[in-house]
Amino acid sequence: MVGAACALYAARAGLDVRVVDRGPVAGGTTGAGEGNLLVSDKEPGPELDLALLSARLWAHLGDELGAAVEYEPKGGLVVASTPETLAALHVFAKGQRSAGVVADPVSADRLPSLEPHLAPGLAGGMHYPQDAQVMPALAAAHLLRASGARLHTGRTVTGVLRTADGTVAGVRTDRGDLHARAVVNAAGTWGGDLAALAGVRLPVLPRRGFVLVTEPLPRMVRHKVYAADYVADVASDSAALRTSPVVEGTAAGPVLIGASRERVGFDRSLSLAAVRALAAGAIGLFPFLQRVRALRSYAGFRPYLPDHLPAIGPDLRVPGLFHACGHEGAGIGLAVGTGQLIAQALTGKTPELDLTPFRPERFEQAGTDGGDTA
């Protein structure tokens, strides 16, 4: 998804773009995503600034591509089970408002007007009208098509070509060399591996997550609905399994249920503990789901960086190398903002957001890789 967005905005900036992928379009993390475009789960800071920029760009793309990518500006609803959790949610939302987020308090008695099938007894919540959703595989495919970029699928990058002075000259693949004055590393969870081919360190780690998919239903969940403790799980550095209920309907009918997080390398084996926790959490929010069949579950790997910020922009260690990876679970939402920033950097323009917090070489000073090299 991030690569598709970089291709779109780079091409619209007048650059000749080629996209190389060892698999099919959306064959990796993108195809395993829920398609969340969120501002609600981010505290004030660089990531929220990027999310707000992306939200504006997604709205424009929604007008342009609309139903083709199942863009749905349905809003998000964060719910709290106790007065204490609700109070913390109000404090969190106050900080977000100062950064430009629209966050509307919802009292307990108003929750049914937004979500009639929610469990009773919740303390209240917060409504985020800027949250939206797309179908990620469709979105990636349509952004690539709109870019006009030449697409090379089924082609593995095996090296980064360099000139005598170390400047990037393109990439080596298992089917021949491709020459270019700039290379953008948008390899997601495998971004660290691609960076290593250029001789630099970028400590991207896989963080596994499962999604449960129900049978198609009439629209019974109107928003993206999640428990307030989801925000803490997103920000956690723990390698252990963490789950918090996230439930949303889709334009096609199935309900998507998340979210789990754990660092287990690239192990794709089914975790019954994770799936059971997801089901229990979802039923806790929406009791009607107890009577609904789950048709399947699938796993994906979020590209995790230790400080929870993506790497975006030029790599000062290798002239001509740019990075656009490490977005963890927010890559679909942050993709288009990232693509615009990369296009601005590639064409010598001043990016509209300060790229300093996202600089790829920041981990050289930190000297940490998050404690897991799987």
Side-chain angles (χ1 to χ4, degrees), residues 6 51 89 97 103 107 135 139 155 173 241 247 265 303 330 333 342 353 362:
C6 289
L89 180 58
R97 290 189 199 100
S107 60
M135 198 292 184
R155 193 162 176 171
T173 81
L241 175 65
V247 183
I342 287 291
L353 294 182
R362 67 189 187 270

Side-chain angles (χ1 to χ4, degrees), residues 238-303:
S238 174
L241 175 65
R242 297 177 68 97
T243 63
S244 50
V246 179
V247 183
E248 59 192 316
T250 65
V255 173
L256 304 181
I257 298 169
S260 68
R261 281 173 164 77
E262 55 189 329
R263 290 214 310 272
V264 292
F266 285 102
D267 180 2
R268 285 190 176 273
S269 58
L270 177 66
S271 168
L272 283 177
V275 171
R276 285 170 175 158
L278 293 180
I283 291 168
L285 282 182
F286 290 95
F288 78 88
L289 288 170
Q290 191 165 13
R291 305 183 301 275
V292 173
R293 290 181 299 168
L295 295 185
R296 64 188 179 99
S297 68
Y298 59 87
F301 299 102
R302 302 175 182 88

Side-chain angles (χ1 to χ4, degrees), residues 312-352:
I312 302 173
D315 192 319
L316 300 182
R317 299 165 294 185
V318 180
L321 177 64
F322 293 73
H323 297 281
C325 60
H327 297 74
E328 200 173 334
I332 306 301
L334 301 180
V336 291
T338 298
Q340 175 139 303
L341 294 172
I342 287 291
Q344 290 165 344
L346 285 169
T347 54
K349 297 179 180 178
T350 301
E352 57 195 279

